[in-house]
Amino acid sequence: MTDIGPDDGATVVIPGSHKSNIIHPFFEVVERARKGDPEAARQAESADKAAGSFEVHLAAGDAILFVDSLCHGSVERKNPGQRRILIYRYGPQWGHYFQGYMPSQALLSRLTPERRQIMQPIPPVYPPDEG
């Protein structure tokens, strides 16, 4: 939607990381940061600090396609303005809600059947009421 160049908060990737069966050192830094290590927290602030990572600069209208298991993130935005992007995920039916997000019934009731099919391609199966 917008050009993304140096200092625009570009997507950062570590090439080949989706195929590796060796833990990348950056994950160890992130784990130490989660445990409260202040130096590790500083190092883990931005994915561009990971060894082998690089920024992907794009012009408005460009697309980047990658498997979600590729180690990726974004670099800190230093330029004024906003980074505008669209993210489209395609995957197995069991993984279509990212980080526990579920559209509300209020939202679904306002959508046309076609838009509802995009938002909720497979109706959820809820656990039985405990009573």
Side-chain angles (χ1 to χ4, degrees), residues 7-89:
D7 294 329
D8 284 334
T11 297
V12 175
V13 298
I14 301 176
S17 58
H18 64 297
K19 295 181 177 182
S20 177
N21 63 354
I22 300 170
I23 295 175
H24 191 280
F26 189 64
F27 291 115
E28 294 171 5
V29 172
V30 170
E31 188 58 31
R32 287 193 343 258
R34 285 187 186 141
K35 292 180 179 176
D37 179 336
E39 177 60 22
R42 187 192 61 73
Q43 293 173 3
E45 285 175 355
S46 182
D48 66 325
K49 293 179 176 71
S53 67
F54 71 92
E55 292 184 32
V56 180
H57 299 154
L58 303 167
D62 284 353
I64 177 174
L65 302 174
F66 59 88
V67 64
D68 214 25
S69 60
L70 178 74
C71 185
H72 64 283
S74 64
V75 68
E76 179 185 357
R77 182 174 179 89
K78 296 177 182 172
N79 289 335
Q82 295 181 339
R83 170 186 133 164
R84 297 267 191 186
I85 63 171
L86 294 174
I87 298 175
Y88 182 83
R89 286 189 161 85

